[in-house]
Amino acid sequence: LIAWALLLVACAATYPILNSRLDSPDFVVDRSESVQLDELLAQHFPQLGTEQTLIVFHSATETADDDAFRKTVGDAVAAAQEVDGVAGTISPYFGDPTAQISADRRTAFALVALSGNTPARAAVAEELGKRIGDVDAHGIDVALTGFSPMQNDMIGVQTHDMERAETLGIPVAFLLLVFTGPGALALDTAVSASKALVDRDGRAVER
């Protein structure tokens, strides 16, 4: 029982270290056509990176023509350009406005190209999200979307759920081990020994 308790404590202590070493899964198939295409794009169009992520801007009151909206877009794009691993950015005002700004001009997106393999892009997307979150949005909704940001969100939810399950499951498992495993046998032996030392009248047996 003591050995199992020590094992549980050791697992709980080493879990943060193990969790910090986990990377996003890489679904790339070596030498596949998609990999060859990514290599060609990286060779001839490095500004596109290996993944394209979007910074989406939306406002219920402001339009893309208003100063507050323009400033928010400019600040967010500038913050994205400072992140290591960002190969390039395309602002809705300097790219294709007809494609990057909605018809009602209340929603727009900036294109952000990420470079590196899948785990590296996941790390870049995480840092990108933090930098964008620090931007003064002036009441404009700013959000990051794309494959890596969505994958990071999914991993975050799964990790949270797993930690919650382990927080509840480990104590329950320990109690079951105590009352149904070797601990129960030891407890039953101790109780039986105590009863053997006491007679029916509750008086201690003379030894």
Side-chain angles (χ1 to χ4, degrees):
L1 180 61
I2 296 177
W4 280 106
L6 292 176
L7 180 60
L8 289 174
V9 171
C11 291
T14 56
Y15 173 77
I17 300 176
L18 175 62
N19 186 55
S20 65
R21 292 179 178 271
L22 296 178
D23 291 326
S24 298
D26 194 342
F27 301 105
V28 172
V29 179
D30 292 337
R31 295 184 295 277
S32 63
E33 292 183 359
S34 60
V35 171
Q36 296 176 13
L37 179 59
D38 286 341
E39 292 175 349
L40 287 174
L41 289 174
Q43 178 182 355
H44 297 286
F45 303 96
Q47 69 276 14
L48 294 179
T50 51
E51 178 188 335
Q52 292 72 48
T53 298
L54 302 180
I55 306 176
V56 180
F57 308 89
H58 175 76
S59 174
T61 57
E62 306 287 338
T63 69
D65 302 310
D66 295 327
D67 292 339
F69 201 106
R70 285 181 173 273
K71 180 170 177 52
T72 300
V73 172
D75 291 345
V77 171
Q81 292 172 343
E82 296 177 355
V83 177
D84 292 335
V86 172
T89 59
I90 301 178
S91 168
Y93 298 111
F94 299 100
D96 185 356
T98 59
Q100 294 180 245
I101 301 177
S102 64
D104 62 1
R105 305 192 68 78
R106 296 190 182 278
T107 305
F109 70 85
L111 184 66
V112 181
L114 309 183
S115 59
N117 56 19
T118 300
R121 296 198 303 271
V124 173
E126 183 176 1
E127 179 63 21
L128 184 59
K130 293 178 181 177
R131 296 289 185 91
I132 293 175
D134 293 336
V135 171
D136 185 0
H138 305 284
I140 311 298
D141 294 329
V142 183
L144 185 67
T145 187
F147 177 79
S148 289
M150 291 176 62
Q151 190 176 45
N152 287 343
D153 291 341
M154 290 178 60
I155 292 175
V157 171
Q158 292 173 355
T159 301
H160 177 269
D161 291 345
M162 182 174 61
E163 291 176 348
R164 183 180 180 185
E166 290 179 347
T167 301
L168 298 174
I170 290 178
V172 171
F174 182 74
L175 292 175
L176 289 175
L177 180 64
V178 170
F179 291 105
T180 63
L185 179 60
L187 181 62
D188 182 65
T189 302
V191 171
S192 299
S194 299
K195 288 181 178 179
L197 296 176
V198 179
D199 62 9
R200 294 181 180 179
D201 296 330
R203 293 172 298 178
V205 177
E206 296 182 0
R207 304 178 62 181

PDB file of all heavy atoms in Angstrom, residues 1-7 174 177-179 182-184 186:
ATOM      1  N   LEU A   1       0.835  -1.214   0.000  1.00  0.00           N
ATOM      2  CA  LEU A   1       0.000   0.000   0.000  1.00  0.00           C
ATOM      3  C   LEU A   1       0.868   1.262   0.000  1.00  0.00           C
ATOM      4  O   LEU A   1       0.597   2.210  -0.733  1.00  0.00           O
ATOM      5  CB  LEU A   1      -0.911  -0.014   1.227  1.00  0.00           C
ATOM      6  CG  LEU A   1      -1.840   1.194   1.377  1.00  0.00           C
ATOM      7  CD1 LEU A   1      -2.780   1.275   0.189  1.00  0.00           C
ATOM      8  CD2 LEU A   1      -2.635   1.104   2.670  1.00  0.00           C
ATOM      9  N   ILE A   2       1.919   1.232   0.825  1.00  0.00           N
ATOM     10  CA  ILE A   2       2.827   2.387   0.863  1.00  0.00           C
ATOM     11  C   ILE A   2       3.498   2.577  -0.484  1.00  0.00           C
ATOM     12  O   ILE A   2       3.669   3.702  -0.961  1.00  0.00           O
ATOM     13  CB  ILE A   2       3.867   2.196   1.979  1.00  0.00           C
ATOM     14  CG1 ILE A   2       3.174   2.168   3.349  1.00  0.00           C
ATOM     15  CG2 ILE A   2       4.915   3.293   1.930  1.00  0.00           C
ATOM     16  CD1 ILE A   2       4.113   1.910   4.505  1.00  0.00           C
ATOM     17  N   ALA A   3       3.864   1.459  -1.122  1.00  0.00           N
ATOM     18  CA  ALA A   3       4.520   1.544  -2.437  1.00  0.00           C
ATOM     19  C   ALA A   3       3.593   2.170  -3.470  1.00  0.00           C
ATOM     20  O   ALA A   3       4.014   3.013  -4.280  1.00  0.00           O
ATOM     21  CB  ALA A   3       4.953   0.156  -2.885  1.00  0.00           C
ATOM     22  N   TRP A   4       2.297   1.773  -3.454  1.00  0.00           N
ATOM     23  CA  TRP A   4       1.335   2.361  -4.380  1.00  0.00           C
ATOM     24  C   TRP A   4       1.135   3.843  -4.104  1.00  0.00           C
ATOM     25  O   TRP A   4       1.024   4.656  -5.042  1.00  0.00           O
ATOM     26  CB  TRP A   4      -0.002   1.623  -4.271  1.00  0.00           C
ATOM     27  CG  TRP A   4      -0.034   0.336  -5.023  1.00  0.00           C
ATOM     28  CD1 TRP A   4       0.004  -0.926  -4.516  1.00  0.00           C
ATOM     29  CD2 TRP A   4      -0.108   0.184  -6.446  1.00  0.00           C
ATOM     30  NE1 TRP A   4      -0.034  -1.857  -5.512  1.00  0.00           N
ATOM     31  CE2 TRP A   4      -0.108  -1.215  -6.725  1.00  0.00           C
ATOM     32  CE3 TRP A   4      -0.171   1.072  -7.516  1.00  0.00           C
ATOM     33  CZ2 TRP A   4      -0.170  -1.725  -8.007  1.00  0.00           C
ATOM     34  CZ3 TRP A   4      -0.235   0.566  -8.807  1.00  0.00           C
ATOM     35  CH2 TRP A   4      -0.221  -0.815  -9.038  1.00  0.00           C
ATOM     36  N   ALA A   5       1.090   4.211  -2.844  1.00  0.00           N
ATOM     37  CA  ALA A   5       0.927   5.626  -2.493  1.00  0.00           C
ATOM     38  C   ALA A   5       2.114   6.440  -2.978  1.00  0.00           C
ATOM     39  O   ALA A   5       1.954   7.542  -3.531  1.00  0.00           O
ATOM     40  CB  ALA A   5       0.770   5.761  -0.981  1.00  0.00           C
ATOM     41  N   LEU A   6       3.332   5.906  -2.803  1.00  0.00           N
ATOM     42  CA  LEU A   6       4.532   6.605  -3.280  1.00  0.00           C
ATOM     43  C   LEU A   6       4.530   6.719  -4.797  1.00  0.00           C
ATOM     44  O   LEU A   6       4.956   7.744  -5.361  1.00  0.00           O
ATOM     45  CB  LEU A   6       5.779   5.873  -2.799  1.00  0.00           C
ATOM     46  CG  LEU A   6       6.043   5.909  -1.284  1.00  0.00           C
ATOM     47  CD1 LEU A   6       7.251   5.057  -0.941  1.00  0.00           C
ATOM     48  CD2 LEU A   6       6.250   7.348  -0.814  1.00  0.00           C
ATOM     49  N   LEU A   7       4.041   5.673  -5.472  1.00  0.00           N
ATOM     50  CA  LEU A   7       3.971   5.711  -6.937  1.00  0.00           C
ATOM     51  C   LEU A   7       3.003   6.786  -7.409  1.00  0.00           C
ATOM     52  O   LEU A   7       3.286   7.517  -8.370  1.00  0.00           O
ATOM     53  CB  LEU A   7       3.539   4.338  -7.462  1.00  0.00           C
ATOM     54  CG  LEU A   7       3.410   4.215  -8.994  1.00  0.00           C
ATOM     55  CD1 LEU A   7       4.743   4.507  -9.660  1.00  0.00           C
ATOM     56  CD2 LEU A   7       2.907   2.827  -9.374  1.00  0.00           C
ATOM     57  N   PHE A 174      -7.291   5.474  -5.249  1.00  0.00           N
ATOM     58  CA  PHE A 174      -6.545   5.234  -4.021  1.00  0.00           C
ATOM     59  C   PHE A 174      -7.463   4.655  -2.934  1.00  0.00           C
ATOM     60  O   PHE A 174      -7.090   3.722  -2.222  1.00  0.00           O
ATOM     61  CB  PHE A 174      -5.908   6.529  -3.537  1.00  0.00           C
ATOM     62  CG  PHE A 174      -5.082   6.369  -2.286  1.00  0.00           C
ATOM     63  CD1 PHE A 174      -3.841   5.759  -2.334  1.00  0.00           C
ATOM     64  CD2 PHE A 174      -5.547   6.829  -1.069  1.00  0.00           C
ATOM     65  CE1 PHE A 174      -3.087   5.606  -1.188  1.00  0.00           C
ATOM     66  CE2 PHE A 174      -4.802   6.680   0.085  1.00  0.00           C
ATOM     67  CZ  PHE A 174      -3.557   6.070   0.026  1.00  0.00           C
ATOM     68  N   LEU A 177      -8.210   1.160  -3.714  1.00  0.00           N
ATOM     69  CA  LEU A 177      -7.053   0.334  -3.400  1.00  0.00           C
ATOM     70  C   LEU A 177      -6.984   0.040  -1.903  1.00  0.00           C
ATOM     71  O   LEU A 177      -6.658  -1.072  -1.488  1.00  0.00           O
ATOM     72  CB  LEU A 177      -5.770   1.040  -3.858  1.00  0.00           C
ATOM     73  CG  LEU A 177      -4.450   0.311  -3.619  1.00  0.00           C
ATOM     74  CD1 LEU A 177      -4.412  -0.983  -4.428  1.00  0.00           C
ATOM     75  CD2 LEU A 177      -3.273   1.201  -3.985  1.00  0.00           C
ATOM     76  N   VAL A 178      -7.325   1.041  -1.107  1.00  0.00           N
ATOM     77  CA  VAL A 178      -7.262   0.870   0.346  1.00  0.00           C
ATOM     78  C   VAL A 178      -8.330  -0.109   0.834  1.00  0.00           C
ATOM     79  O   VAL A 178      -8.066  -0.989   1.655  1.00  0.00           O
ATOM     80  CB  VAL A 178      -7.429   2.231   1.054  1.00  0.00           C
ATOM     81  CG1 VAL A 178      -7.623   2.038   2.552  1.00  0.00           C
ATOM     82  CG2 VAL A 178      -6.216   3.108   0.776  1.00  0.00           C
ATOM     83  N   PHE A 179      -9.555   0.029   0.309  1.00  0.00           N
ATOM     84  CA  PHE A 179     -10.670  -0.734   0.856  1.00  0.00           C
ATOM     85  C   PHE A 179     -10.946  -2.051   0.123  1.00  0.00           C
ATOM     86  O   PHE A 179     -11.734  -2.867   0.596  1.00  0.00           O
ATOM     87  CB  PHE A 179     -11.940   0.117   0.853  1.00  0.00           C
ATOM     88  CG  PHE A 179     -11.892   1.249   1.835  1.00  0.00           C
ATOM     89  CD1 PHE A 179     -11.688   2.559   1.405  1.00  0.00           C
ATOM     90  CD2 PHE A 179     -12.015   1.001   3.192  1.00  0.00           C
ATOM     91  CE1 PHE A 179     -11.630   3.608   2.319  1.00  0.00           C
ATOM     92  CE2 PHE A 179     -11.958   2.037   4.111  1.00  0.00           C
ATOM     93  CZ  PHE A 179     -11.757   3.346   3.674  1.00  0.00           C
ATOM     94  N   PRO A 182      -4.800  -4.721  -1.083  1.00  0.00           N
ATOM     95  CA  PRO A 182      -3.982  -5.137   0.063  1.00  0.00           C
ATOM     96  C   PRO A 182      -4.258  -4.321   1.308  1.00  0.00           C
ATOM     97  O   PRO A 182      -4.158  -4.828   2.420  1.00  0.00           O
ATOM     98  CB  PRO A 182      -2.543  -4.925  -0.452  1.00  0.00           C
ATOM     99  CG  PRO A 182      -2.659  -4.980  -1.934  1.00  0.00           C
ATOM    100  CD  PRO A 182      -3.995  -4.399  -2.260  1.00  0.00           C
ATOM    101  N   GLY A 183      -4.620  -3.044   1.116  1.00  0.00           N
ATOM    102  CA  GLY A 183      -4.916  -2.204   2.262  1.00  0.00           C
ATOM    103  C   GLY A 183      -6.120  -2.718   3.034  1.00  0.00           C
ATOM    104  O   GLY A 183      -6.160  -2.681   4.268  1.00  0.00           O
ATOM    105  N   ALA A 184      -7.120  -3.222   2.314  1.00  0.00           N
ATOM    106  CA  ALA A 184      -8.299  -3.769   2.981  1.00  0.00           C
ATOM    107  C   ALA A 184      -7.936  -5.017   3.769  1.00  0.00           C
ATOM    108  O   ALA A 184      -8.428  -5.239   4.877  1.00  0.00           O
ATOM    109  CB  ALA A 184      -9.373  -4.094   1.941  1.00  0.00           C
ATOM    110  N   ALA A 186      -4.986  -5.693   5.083  1.00  0.00           N
ATOM    111  CA  ALA A 186      -4.243  -5.271   6.270  1.00  0.00           C
ATOM    112  C   ALA A 186      -5.179  -4.699   7.326  1.00  0.00           C
ATOM    113  O   ALA A 186      -5.040  -4.958   8.526  1.00  0.00           O
ATOM    114  CB  ALA A 186      -3.183  -4.244   5.884  1.00  0.00           C
TER     115      ALA A 186
END
